[in-house]
Amino acid sequence: MGRDVIVACDFSSKEEVLSFLDKFQGRKPFVKIGMELFYAEGPQIVKEIKARGHKIFLDLKLHDIPNTVKKSMNVLSNLDVDITNLHAGGTKRMMEAALEGLTREDGTRPLLIAVTQLTSTDQESMENDLLIKEPIDKVVMHYAKNAADAGLDGVVCSPLEAGKVHDTCGKDFLTITPGVRFADGDIGDQKRVMTPAEAKKIGSDYIVVGRPITAAADPVAAYERCIAEFVD
Ligand code: C5P
């Protein structure tokens, strides 16, 4: 899979997401299904979107004891998604267990990506709430390295960190980057943003784009603009 645009389908019902995807007609964007939609509609919504021919990033961010994550990943591997994820904070042992659970009998598996520190966590909350005293960028790189050592395929990170993640973990270690906005667009609640063209320049492998596409007057045109800036 090469560079691609993943559309964050942050909807809370099957009706909303399917009518959104219907707008694309022949086009089949890579779709991110997060907790909101998954908890509302269950695994069936993953099967239905997959059956329509979309690639799927199932963004459930697992974080539990290794055995529970292993068994849960085993269940998720049956959904035949293309990418899924977990929290690197669950430790290397949890990540290794997750990979084991995700790998099917024939050796195939979805790509497995780690969340390092959420972008909603800042230095202050990390120090005060989590008692982690190191600089946040050092923590993010350390977690990325742990994920690479555990055999994972990449991390979710800010586009601003993508270059450094590649320097630390290798150019084939994937970077999936949200926080993308058009140069002339509304940034909403995202703080550190980049345009699709900038994300391409810095070496992101996948950009995750939600509201700039889902809330656009013409979502298909907004999607095509992302593709033109980031992929073509
Ligand atoms: O609408 P917007 O483009 O901001 O959506 C970005 C998507 O990426 C959302 O689904 C959000 O939950 C997700 N995300 C993020 N920042 C992270 C991890 C995930 O914005 N650090």
Side-chain angles (χ1 to χ4, degrees), residues 8-10 32 59 61 115 117-120 156-158 178-181 187 189-190 208-212 214:
C9 287
D10 295 322
K32 180 170 90 73
D59 177 20
K61 299 187 181 73
V115 174
Q117 285 291 349
L118 292 168
T119 45
S120 51
V156 180
C157 63
S158 150
V180 173
R181 293 293 181 266
I187 76 166
D189 57 356
Q190 293 283 11
V208 174
V209 189
R211 288 159 294 179
T214 56

PDB file of all heavy atoms in Angstrom, residues 8-10 32 59 61 115 117-120 156-158 178-181 187 189-190 208-212 214, ligand 1:
ATOM      1  N   ALA A   8     -11.608  10.025   7.876  1.00  0.00           N
ATOM      2  CA  ALA A   8     -12.116   9.707   9.213  1.00  0.00           C
ATOM      3  C   ALA A   8     -13.634   9.835   9.199  1.00  0.00           C
ATOM      4  O   ALA A   8     -14.181  10.941   9.170  1.00  0.00           O
ATOM      5  CB  ALA A   8     -11.516  10.656  10.245  1.00  0.00           C
ATOM      6  N   CYS A   9     -14.317   8.689   9.207  1.00  0.00           N
ATOM      7  CA  CYS A   9     -15.782   8.698   9.139  1.00  0.00           C
ATOM      8  C   CYS A   9     -16.337   8.733  10.561  1.00  0.00           C
ATOM      9  O   CYS A   9     -16.808   7.716  11.086  1.00  0.00           O
ATOM     10  CB  CYS A   9     -16.271   7.473   8.370  1.00  0.00           C
ATOM     11  SG  CYS A   9     -15.961   7.627   6.607  1.00  0.00           S
ATOM     12  N   ASP A  10     -16.233   9.903  11.187  1.00  0.00           N
ATOM     13  CA  ASP A  10     -16.687  10.063  12.569  1.00  0.00           C
ATOM     14  C   ASP A  10     -18.184  10.351  12.604  1.00  0.00           C
ATOM     15  O   ASP A  10     -18.620  11.471  12.896  1.00  0.00           O
ATOM     16  CB  ASP A  10     -15.872  11.168  13.259  1.00  0.00           C
ATOM     17  CG  ASP A  10     -14.402  10.791  13.403  1.00  0.00           C
ATOM     18  OD1 ASP A  10     -14.125   9.603  13.682  1.00  0.00           O
ATOM     19  OD2 ASP A  10     -13.535  11.656  13.219  1.00  0.00           O
ATOM     20  N   LYS A  32     -11.587   5.409   7.767  1.00  0.00           N
ATOM     21  CA  LYS A  32     -11.271   5.143   9.173  1.00  0.00           C
ATOM     22  C   LYS A  32     -12.562   5.019   9.968  1.00  0.00           C
ATOM     23  O   LYS A  32     -13.397   5.920   9.957  1.00  0.00           O
ATOM     24  CB  LYS A  32     -10.418   6.254   9.780  1.00  0.00           C
ATOM     25  CG  LYS A  32     -10.070   5.993  11.253  1.00  0.00           C
ATOM     26  CD  LYS A  32      -9.034   6.959  11.789  1.00  0.00           C
ATOM     27  CE  LYS A  32      -9.611   8.212  12.390  1.00  0.00           C
ATOM     28  NZ  LYS A  32     -10.261   8.017  13.706  1.00  0.00           N
ATOM     29  N   ASP A  59      -9.906   2.018  14.045  1.00  0.00           N
ATOM     30  CA  ASP A  59      -9.186   2.821  15.044  1.00  0.00           C
ATOM     31  C   ASP A  59      -9.826   2.632  16.414  1.00  0.00           C
ATOM     32  O   ASP A  59     -10.628   3.454  16.846  1.00  0.00           O
ATOM     33  CB  ASP A  59      -9.249   4.289  14.570  1.00  0.00           C
ATOM     34  CG  ASP A  59      -8.622   5.274  15.523  1.00  0.00           C
ATOM     35  OD1 ASP A  59      -7.804   4.865  16.361  1.00  0.00           O
ATOM     36  OD2 ASP A  59      -8.946   6.478  15.413  1.00  0.00           O
ATOM     37  N   LYS A  61      -7.832   1.619  19.242  1.00  0.00           N
ATOM     38  CA  LYS A  61      -6.795   1.964  20.254  1.00  0.00           C
ATOM     39  C   LYS A  61      -6.839   1.050  21.471  1.00  0.00           C
ATOM     40  O   LYS A  61      -7.060   1.505  22.601  1.00  0.00           O
ATOM     41  CB  LYS A  61      -6.956   3.413  20.706  1.00  0.00           C
ATOM     42  CG  LYS A  61      -6.813   4.444  19.598  1.00  0.00           C
ATOM     43  CD  LYS A  61      -6.828   5.860  20.164  1.00  0.00           C
ATOM     44  CE  LYS A  61      -6.702   6.934  19.115  1.00  0.00           C
ATOM     45  NZ  LYS A  61      -7.897   7.140  18.292  1.00  0.00           N
ATOM     46  N   VAL A 115      -0.435   4.083  18.848  1.00  0.00           N
ATOM     47  CA  VAL A 115      -0.602   5.475  19.257  1.00  0.00           C
ATOM     48  C   VAL A 115       0.476   5.713  20.308  1.00  0.00           C
ATOM     49  O   VAL A 115       0.620   4.915  21.234  1.00  0.00           O
ATOM     50  CB  VAL A 115      -2.000   5.697  19.886  1.00  0.00           C
ATOM     51  CG1 VAL A 115      -2.134   7.107  20.447  1.00  0.00           C
ATOM     52  CG2 VAL A 115      -3.089   5.404  18.863  1.00  0.00           C
ATOM     53  N   GLN A 117       1.881   9.124  22.368  1.00  0.00           N
ATOM     54  CA  GLN A 117       1.099   9.952  23.286  1.00  0.00           C
ATOM     55  C   GLN A 117       0.029  10.624  22.440  1.00  0.00           C
ATOM     56  O   GLN A 117       0.333  11.131  21.353  1.00  0.00           O
ATOM     57  CB  GLN A 117       1.978  11.021  23.946  1.00  0.00           C
ATOM     58  CG  GLN A 117       2.896  10.495  25.037  1.00  0.00           C
ATOM     59  CD  GLN A 117       2.146  10.039  26.283  1.00  0.00           C
ATOM     60  OE1 GLN A 117       0.959  10.275  26.458  1.00  0.00           O
ATOM     61  NE2 GLN A 117       2.857   9.351  27.162  1.00  0.00           N
ATOM     62  N   LEU A 118      -1.197  10.645  22.929  1.00  0.00           N
ATOM     63  CA  LEU A 118      -2.272  11.319  22.197  1.00  0.00           C
ATOM     64  C   LEU A 118      -1.911  12.796  22.018  1.00  0.00           C
ATOM     65  O   LEU A 118      -1.263  13.386  22.892  1.00  0.00           O
ATOM     66  CB  LEU A 118      -3.580  11.226  22.971  1.00  0.00           C
ATOM     67  CG  LEU A 118      -4.190   9.840  23.088  1.00  0.00           C
ATOM     68  CD1 LEU A 118      -5.309   9.846  24.132  1.00  0.00           C
ATOM     69  CD2 LEU A 118      -4.739   9.381  21.739  1.00  0.00           C
ATOM     70  N   THR A 119      -2.356  13.394  20.924  1.00  0.00           N
ATOM     71  CA  THR A 119      -2.048  14.820  20.732  1.00  0.00           C
ATOM     72  C   THR A 119      -2.822  15.700  21.721  1.00  0.00           C
ATOM     73  O   THR A 119      -2.505  16.868  21.888  1.00  0.00           O
ATOM     74  CB  THR A 119      -2.333  15.267  19.279  1.00  0.00           C
ATOM     75  OG1 THR A 119      -3.587  14.737  18.889  1.00  0.00           O
ATOM     76  CG2 THR A 119      -1.265  14.795  18.336  1.00  0.00           C
ATOM     77  N   SER A 120      -3.803  15.104  22.393  1.00  0.00           N
ATOM     78  CA  SER A 120      -4.521  15.861  23.431  1.00  0.00           C
ATOM     79  C   SER A 120      -3.735  15.894  24.750  1.00  0.00           C
ATOM     80  O   SER A 120      -4.086  16.631  25.667  1.00  0.00           O
ATOM     81  CB  SER A 120      -5.905  15.239  23.654  1.00  0.00           C
ATOM     82  OG  SER A 120      -5.777  13.852  23.870  1.00  0.00           O
ATOM     83  N   VAL A 156       0.757   6.312  14.785  1.00  0.00           N
ATOM     84  CA  VAL A 156      -0.042   7.506  14.518  1.00  0.00           C
ATOM     85  C   VAL A 156       0.734   8.662  15.146  1.00  0.00           C
ATOM     86  O   VAL A 156       1.162   8.556  16.291  1.00  0.00           O
ATOM     87  CB  VAL A 156      -1.435   7.430  15.193  1.00  0.00           C
ATOM     88  CG1 VAL A 156      -2.237   8.689  14.891  1.00  0.00           C
ATOM     89  CG2 VAL A 156      -2.187   6.196  14.742  1.00  0.00           C
ATOM     90  N   CYS A 157       0.969   9.720  14.409  1.00  0.00           N
ATOM     91  CA  CYS A 157       1.701  10.844  15.000  1.00  0.00           C
ATOM     92  C   CYS A 157       1.305  12.137  14.305  1.00  0.00           C
ATOM     93  O   CYS A 157       0.622  12.123  13.278  1.00  0.00           O
ATOM     94  CB  CYS A 157       3.208  10.625  14.893  1.00  0.00           C
ATOM     95  SG  CYS A 157       3.841  10.531  13.207  1.00  0.00           S
ATOM     96  N   SER A 158       1.743  13.244  14.884  1.00  0.00           N
ATOM     97  CA  SER A 158       1.522  14.533  14.249  1.00  0.00           C
ATOM     98  C   SER A 158       2.376  14.579  12.975  1.00  0.00           C
ATOM     99  O   SER A 158       3.491  14.054  12.964  1.00  0.00           O
ATOM    100  CB  SER A 158       1.957  15.632  15.222  1.00  0.00           C
ATOM    101  OG  SER A 158       2.406  16.750  14.510  1.00  0.00           O
ATOM    102  N   PRO A 178      -2.910  12.493  11.511  1.00  0.00           N
ATOM    103  CA  PRO A 178      -4.104  13.354  11.507  1.00  0.00           C
ATOM    104  C   PRO A 178      -3.664  14.816  11.671  1.00  0.00           C
ATOM    105  O   PRO A 178      -2.459  15.115  11.608  1.00  0.00           O
ATOM    106  CB  PRO A 178      -4.892  12.872  12.712  1.00  0.00           C
ATOM    107  CG  PRO A 178      -3.943  12.118  13.573  1.00  0.00           C
ATOM    108  CD  PRO A 178      -2.670  11.901  12.823  1.00  0.00           C
ATOM    109  N   GLY A 179      -4.632  15.709  11.890  1.00  0.00           N
ATOM    110  CA  GLY A 179      -4.275  17.122  12.052  1.00  0.00           C
ATOM    111  C   GLY A 179      -3.965  17.768  10.721  1.00  0.00           C
ATOM    112  O   GLY A 179      -3.060  18.598  10.615  1.00  0.00           O
ATOM    113  N   VAL A 180      -4.714  17.393   9.681  1.00  0.00           N
ATOM    114  CA  VAL A 180      -4.477  17.933   8.342  1.00  0.00           C
ATOM    115  C   VAL A 180      -5.580  18.928   7.984  1.00  0.00           C
ATOM    116  O   VAL A 180      -6.762  18.671   8.218  1.00  0.00           O
ATOM    117  CB  VAL A 180      -4.437  16.769   7.316  1.00  0.00           C
ATOM    118  CG1 VAL A 180      -4.365  17.294   5.897  1.00  0.00           C
ATOM    119  CG2 VAL A 180      -3.257  15.852   7.617  1.00  0.00           C
ATOM    120  N   ARG A 181      -5.176  20.066   7.476  1.00  0.00           N
ATOM    121  CA  ARG A 181      -6.146  21.092   7.069  1.00  0.00           C
ATOM    122  C   ARG A 181      -5.697  21.727   5.756  1.00  0.00           C
ATOM    123  O   ARG A 181      -4.494  21.819   5.495  1.00  0.00           O
ATOM    124  CB  ARG A 181      -6.248  22.204   8.134  1.00  0.00           C
ATOM    125  CG  ARG A 181      -6.860  21.748   9.455  1.00  0.00           C
ATOM    126  CD  ARG A 181      -8.325  21.371   9.298  1.00  0.00           C
ATOM    127  NE  ARG A 181      -8.972  20.942  10.524  1.00  0.00           N
ATOM    128  CZ  ARG A 181      -9.097  19.676  10.919  1.00  0.00           C
ATOM    129  NH1 ARG A 181      -8.591  18.687  10.187  1.00  0.00           N
ATOM    130  NH2 ARG A 181      -9.743  19.386  12.028  1.00  0.00           N
ATOM    131  N   ILE A 187      -9.399  25.471  11.091  1.00  0.00           N
ATOM    132  CA  ILE A 187      -8.624  24.415  11.765  1.00  0.00           C
ATOM    133  C   ILE A 187      -9.414  23.706  12.876  1.00  0.00           C
ATOM    134  O   ILE A 187      -9.019  22.657  13.348  1.00  0.00           O
ATOM    135  CB  ILE A 187      -7.240  24.887  12.269  1.00  0.00           C
ATOM    136  CG1 ILE A 187      -7.318  25.734  13.525  1.00  0.00           C
ATOM    137  CG2 ILE A 187      -6.445  25.564  11.186  1.00  0.00           C
ATOM    138  CD1 ILE A 187      -5.936  25.877  14.176  1.00  0.00           C
ATOM    139  N   ASP A 189     -10.733  22.280  16.251  1.00  0.00           N
ATOM    140  CA  ASP A 189     -10.070  22.082  17.541  1.00  0.00           C
ATOM    141  C   ASP A 189      -8.670  21.499  17.414  1.00  0.00           C
ATOM    142  O   ASP A 189      -8.016  21.229  18.419  1.00  0.00           O
ATOM    143  CB  ASP A 189     -10.938  21.190  18.445  1.00  0.00           C
ATOM    144  CG  ASP A 189     -11.237  19.845  17.796  1.00  0.00           C
ATOM    145  OD1 ASP A 189     -10.838  19.637  16.629  1.00  0.00           O
ATOM    146  OD2 ASP A 189     -11.872  19.006  18.437  1.00  0.00           O
ATOM    147  N   GLN A 190      -8.173  21.287  16.187  1.00  0.00           N
ATOM    148  CA  GLN A 190      -6.806  20.784  16.037  1.00  0.00           C
ATOM    149  C   GLN A 190      -5.843  21.939  16.306  1.00  0.00           C
ATOM    150  O   GLN A 190      -6.115  23.075  15.927  1.00  0.00           O
ATOM    151  CB  GLN A 190      -6.576  20.236  14.614  1.00  0.00           C
ATOM    152  CG  GLN A 190      -7.383  18.994  14.290  1.00  0.00           C
ATOM    153  CD  GLN A 190      -6.817  17.719  14.907  1.00  0.00           C
ATOM    154  OE1 GLN A 190      -5.923  17.763  15.750  1.00  0.00           O
ATOM    155  NE2 GLN A 190      -7.368  16.584  14.509  1.00  0.00           N
ATOM    156  N   VAL A 208      -4.802  11.247   7.776  1.00  0.00           N
ATOM    157  CA  VAL A 208      -6.176  10.986   8.211  1.00  0.00           C
ATOM    158  C   VAL A 208      -6.902  12.319   8.197  1.00  0.00           C
ATOM    159  O   VAL A 208      -6.511  13.245   8.904  1.00  0.00           O
ATOM    160  CB  VAL A 208      -6.207  10.392   9.631  1.00  0.00           C
ATOM    161  CG1 VAL A 208      -7.641  10.258  10.121  1.00  0.00           C
ATOM    162  CG2 VAL A 208      -5.509   9.036   9.656  1.00  0.00           C
ATOM    163  N   VAL A 209      -7.934  12.415   7.380  1.00  0.00           N
ATOM    164  CA  VAL A 209      -8.639  13.686   7.242  1.00  0.00           C
ATOM    165  C   VAL A 209     -10.118  13.472   7.552  1.00  0.00           C
ATOM    166  O   VAL A 209     -10.769  12.628   6.930  1.00  0.00           O
ATOM    167  CB  VAL A 209      -8.498  14.245   5.797  1.00  0.00           C
ATOM    168  CG1 VAL A 209      -9.052  15.669   5.735  1.00  0.00           C
ATOM    169  CG2 VAL A 209      -7.042  14.222   5.336  1.00  0.00           C
ATOM    170  N   GLY A 210     -10.624  14.225   8.523  1.00  0.00           N
ATOM    171  CA  GLY A 210     -12.025  14.104   8.898  1.00  0.00           C
ATOM    172  C   GLY A 210     -12.829  15.269   8.384  1.00  0.00           C
ATOM    173  O   GLY A 210     -13.229  15.329   7.215  1.00  0.00           O
ATOM    174  N   ARG A 211     -13.052  16.254   9.261  1.00  0.00           N
ATOM    175  CA  ARG A 211     -13.969  17.356   8.938  1.00  0.00           C
ATOM    176  C   ARG A 211     -13.671  18.147   7.670  1.00  0.00           C
ATOM    177  O   ARG A 211     -14.626  18.584   7.008  1.00  0.00           O
ATOM    178  CB  ARG A 211     -14.097  18.271  10.168  1.00  0.00           C
ATOM    179  CG  ARG A 211     -14.916  17.596  11.267  1.00  0.00           C
ATOM    180  CD  ARG A 211     -14.651  18.197  12.609  1.00  0.00           C
ATOM    181  NE  ARG A 211     -13.274  17.945  13.047  1.00  0.00           N
ATOM    182  CZ  ARG A 211     -12.772  18.383  14.202  1.00  0.00           C
ATOM    183  NH1 ARG A 211     -13.517  19.092  15.013  1.00  0.00           N
ATOM    184  NH2 ARG A 211     -11.535  18.106  14.541  1.00  0.00           N
ATOM    185  N   PRO A 212     -12.394  18.326   7.292  1.00  0.00           N
ATOM    186  CA  PRO A 212     -12.188  19.054   6.021  1.00  0.00           C
ATOM    187  C   PRO A 212     -12.873  18.348   4.841  1.00  0.00           C
ATOM    188  O   PRO A 212     -13.166  18.974   3.820  1.00  0.00           O
ATOM    189  CB  PRO A 212     -10.665  19.050   5.859  1.00  0.00           C
ATOM    190  CG  PRO A 212     -10.145  18.967   7.256  1.00  0.00           C
ATOM    191  CD  PRO A 212     -11.123  18.070   7.984  1.00  0.00           C
ATOM    192  N   THR A 214     -15.559  15.560   5.565  1.00  0.00           N
ATOM    193  CA  THR A 214     -16.935  15.197   5.955  1.00  0.00           C
ATOM    194  C   THR A 214     -17.850  16.413   6.105  1.00  0.00           C
ATOM    195  O   THR A 214     -19.047  16.317   5.858  1.00  0.00           O
ATOM    196  CB  THR A 214     -16.961  14.399   7.281  1.00  0.00           C
ATOM    197  OG1 THR A 214     -16.301  15.163   8.291  1.00  0.00           O
ATOM    198  CG2 THR A 214     -16.282  13.051   7.147  1.00  0.00           C
TER     199      THR A 214
HETATM  200  O1  C5P B   1     -11.914  16.069  11.716  1.00  0.00           O
HETATM  201  P1  C5P B   1     -10.430  15.867  11.837  1.00  0.00           P
HETATM  202  O2  C5P B   1      -9.689  15.968  10.520  1.00  0.00           O
HETATM  203  O3  C5P B   1      -9.800  16.714  12.921  1.00  0.00           O
HETATM  204  O4  C5P B   1     -10.319  14.344  12.284  1.00  0.00           O
HETATM  205  C1  C5P B   1      -9.091  13.749  12.610  1.00  0.00           C
HETATM  206  C2  C5P B   1      -9.318  12.327  13.008  1.00  0.00           C
HETATM  207  O5  C5P B   1      -8.084  11.815  13.497  1.00  0.00           O
HETATM  208  C3  C5P B   1     -10.334  12.104  14.118  1.00  0.00           C
HETATM  209  O6  C5P B   1     -10.954  10.842  13.884  1.00  0.00           O
HETATM  210  C4  C5P B   1      -9.494  12.066  15.368  1.00  0.00           C
HETATM  211  O7  C5P B   1     -10.058  11.287  16.395  1.00  0.00           O
HETATM  212  C5  C5P B   1      -8.227  11.395  14.848  1.00  0.00           C
HETATM  213  N1  C5P B   1      -7.020  11.644  15.623  1.00  0.00           N
HETATM  214  C6  C5P B   1      -6.519  12.923  15.843  1.00  0.00           C
HETATM  215  N2  C5P B   1      -5.358  13.087  16.574  1.00  0.00           N
HETATM  216  C7  C5P B   1      -4.730  12.018  17.067  1.00  0.00           C
HETATM  217  C8  C5P B   1      -5.223  10.733  16.839  1.00  0.00           C
HETATM  218  C9  C5P B   1      -6.382  10.579  16.113  1.00  0.00           C
HETATM  219  O8  C5P B   1      -7.085  13.905  15.392  1.00  0.00           O
HETATM  220  N3  C5P B   1      -3.603  12.190  17.725  1.00  0.00           N
END
